[in-house]
Amino acid sequence: MKKRIGSYPRVRVEGGGQAVVSQAGASCWSRRSARPGWMRRYRRRSRRGGRLGRCKVLLDVALAVALGGDCLADVGMLRAEPAVFGPVASDPTVSRLIDILAAAGPKALTAIRSARAKVREHVWKLTGSSSPDASGQVIVDLDGLLVLAHSDKQDAVATWKKTYGHHPLMGFVDHGRGGTGEPVAALLRPGNAGSNTAADHITTAQLALAQLPKKYRRGRHTLIRTDSAGGTHEFTAWLAQRGRWLSYSVGMTITDHIHEAALTVPPTAWTAAVEPDGETRHGAWVAELDGDVLKGWPKGMRLIIRKERRHPGAQLRFTDADGLRLTAFATNTTDIPIAALELRHRQRARAEDRIRAARATGLRNLPLHDTAQNRIWLEIVQIALDLLAWMPMLALTGKARRWEPRRLRLRLFSAAAQIITTARRRHVRFTRH
């Protein structure tokens, strides 16, 4: 008796199967995406066109992007599975819709954003203790990213990194350590747009606040975090303006004045930094600066500086001292120790994870030529990222809630299933595991 040993089982490939569908893991979206109100709310703001409503076409493109597509034609992966996704528009119909929405300009963008805000509020209510506002505070991170262009596109110019493309500014709601995050703002800008342009930060913050439930659009329970690009007089004054009263935690550039003030801090004024688990962060200390360094800044602002031993391979700067890397940030929060404030600001680095997820979900490049068309594409990308964030909040637990789009696609959405019709109902049957 011989026992065959091989790396993989030997199978025979045949065609003609009719009861098996691919991308069946995405059926959770196709069946649930309309129920929170996508179809109903957007249809009120758009006319129906042809056999399929414009909202259905827009959602199909967003689903294709969430599944890994990076252009309009990738909606074909949904068209290939009508048993799961229903009728899907043709490529020319999708292109015409994008042109119509682009021609509508701000009206189309306002309709899409209004629908997203309504659905977001509903989803947060459904998630309960897992929602981003469960702690009583919503944290919005603003950050920019470079989107490279490999062909001639409108507003694609040389960037500050000597590349070629666009420089959009985005906002993300932080889900904390137990989750990921969801986009709430995206401002498309030319590649040469400044990193610390206060007007762009104000516009992006306004878009982000409009996506939040009304009670979070002003007041201390909403925290705006940025890197040093947001540490400008105009932006901090706008955040702290009377009647708005937002909390903020913005990075600050180490100027000569701040550097000199940091050198005069006595050793006893430095406090050890902390880790998320409460343990001491070895080799890092924080202190608060006051006096002349706060002249000209909004009332109530606190300037906190951190010194830390440089990481292996890191280069020291002229503003560093005694072989320690100096960084600073400003905040108007007064009831939290400075070590906890520094930890909260350091956790802004999670925005880099959200940017990585956005690049893997349609922002590797902008597939269209005109800026108006690419603004619609940015909204489609945000819808896809919303779905990728809401599904774990509603359906997954434990470590799976922190899965990024690539892992979700590999482990869940790409699963195949069997279509079974019984008692006039259609069932999607997965394997038991």
Side-chain angles (χ1 to χ4, degrees):
M1 180 177 179
K2 294 182 179 181
K3 185 175 181 180
R4 188 180 300 275
I5 299 177
S7 300
Y8 297 97
R10 184 173 297 177
V11 298
R12 179 178 296 176
V13 179
E14 295 180 353
Q18 298 179 351
V20 178
V21 294
S22 61
Q23 303 293 339
S27 60
C28 60
W29 289 330
S30 61
R31 295 294 177 263
R32 298 292 179 181
S33 58
R35 295 193 180 183
W38 271 108
M39 295 288 188
R40 183 178 69 258
R41 299 184 190 282
Y42 183 69
R43 190 177 292 137
R44 292 175 183 173
R45 298 166 174 82
S46 62
R47 298 175 298 171
R48 292 183 63 85
R51 185 167 60 93
L52 296 173
R54 292 179 181 174
C55 180
K56 173 64 165 62
V57 178
L58 195 69
L59 276 177
D60 285 342
V61 178
L63 285 174
V65 174
L67 292 174
D70 58 3
C71 64
L72 298 179
D74 285 335
V75 76
M77 74 172 72
L78 274 61
R79 194 183 303 118
E81 302 294 351
V84 177
F85 302 104
V88 177
S90 63
D91 290 346
T93 300
V94 173
S95 297
R96 283 196 299 269
L97 174 63
I98 299 301
D99 291 338
I100 291 172
L101 295 177
K107 291 184 178 180
L109 295 175
T110 300
I112 297 172
R113 291 165 180 168
S114 177
R116 289 180 56 220
K118 292 292 185 181
V119 180
R120 190 181 318 281
E121 184 175 7
H122 182 66
V123 171
W124 286 13
K125 289 180 181 179
L126 291 177
T127 52
S129 60
S130 300
S131 65
D133 62 338
S135 63
Q137 186 180 52
V138 175
I139 301 177
V140 178
D141 293 316
L142 305 184
D143 206 348
L145 70 153
L146 295 179
V147 180
L148 302 185
H150 302 285
S151 61
D152 187 21
K153 293 182 173 65
Q154 188 177 6
D155 288 338
V157 295
T159 69
W160 60 277
K161 280 194 173 182
K162 299 182 179 180
T163 55
Y164 183 81
H166 297 81
H167 187 192
L169 188 61
M170 298 191 68
F172 301 92
V173 170
D174 185 24
H175 288 183
R177 298 180 65 187
T180 56
E182 54 191 281
V184 286
L187 181 66
L188 185 60
R189 306 187 299 169
N192 58 358
S195 298
N196 58 349
T197 305
D200 292 343
H201 278 81
I202 292 174
T203 301
T204 307
Q206 290 173 332
L207 294 175
L209 293 173
Q211 284 293 306
L212 305 180
K214 287 186 178 180
K215 64 179 180 179
Y216 294 113
R217 295 178 185 176
R218 64 180 62 202
R220 290 285 189 258
H221 39 253
T222 301
L223 173 69
I224 305 295
R225 286 191 309 203
T226 71
D227 55 9
S228 59
T232 59
H233 289 267
E234 296 84 355
F235 185 54
T236 53
W238 182 87
L239 292 171
Q241 185 176 352
R242 183 179 179 85
R244 190 169 291 114
W245 294 308
L246 296 169
S247 297
Y248 60 83
S249 181
V250 298
M252 299 290 288
T253 302
I254 302 292
T255 62
D256 292 340
H257 199 185
I258 295 177
H259 184 243
E260 292 174 1
L263 296 179
T264 61
V265 176
T268 56
W270 291 97
T271 302
V274 296
E275 298 286 5
D277 57 3
E279 297 293 330
T280 300
R281 183 178 177 86
H282 297 290
W285 302 267
V286 294
E288 184 172 358
L289 303 181
D290 54 12
D292 293 341
V293 292
L294 296 178
K295 280 186 177 180
W297 293 95
K299 184 179 180 181
M301 191 182 87
R302 304 174 66 186
L303 182 60
I304 299 173
I305 192 164
R306 180 186 71 175
K307 63 179 182 179
E308 184 176 18
R309 295 193 183 100
R310 66 185 182 93
H311 301 290
Q315 297 291 328
L316 290 175
R317 298 169 294 193
F318 288 108
T319 54
D320 297 332
D322 300 328
L324 300 175
R325 173 65 56 87
L326 294 180
T327 56
F329 70 96
T331 182
N332 60 349
T333 304
T334 58
D335 55 347
I336 299 178
I338 59 174
L341 291 174
E342 189 275 333
L343 172 63
R344 186 184 69 177
H345 183 76
R346 193 175 354 121
Q347 290 172 337
R348 192 207 65 82
R350 283 196 286 255
E352 301 297 334
D353 298 332
R354 308 290 81 80
I355 290 177
R356 183 173 62 249
R359 293 186 188 277
T361 312
L363 266 190
R364 184 178 59 87
N365 66 335
L366 297 177
L368 306 172
H369 178 271
D370 295 343
T371 297
Q373 294 174 326
N374 283 322
R375 287 196 179 102
I376 301 299
W377 178 259
L378 265 183
E379 296 301 320
I380 292 173
V381 169
Q382 290 181 86
I383 295 173
L385 290 171
D386 281 337
L387 295 176
L388 288 168
W390 292 339
M391 194 279 291
M393 287 169 56
L394 293 168
L396 302 182
T397 58
K399 293 183 179 180
R401 276 204 62 197
R402 300 194 298 270
W403 285 358
E404 293 192 359
R406 293 181 188 274
R407 181 168 293 185
L408 287 172
R409 294 171 192 140
L410 181 65
R411 297 197 179 186
L412 293 181
F413 305 146
S414 60
Q418 186 179 15
I419 291 287
I420 295 177
T421 303
T422 177
R424 297 183 180 181
R425 291 186 178 182
R426 182 173 295 175
H427 301 267
V428 180
R429 181 173 293 176
F430 294 89
T431 56
R432 189 173 300 276
H433 66 276

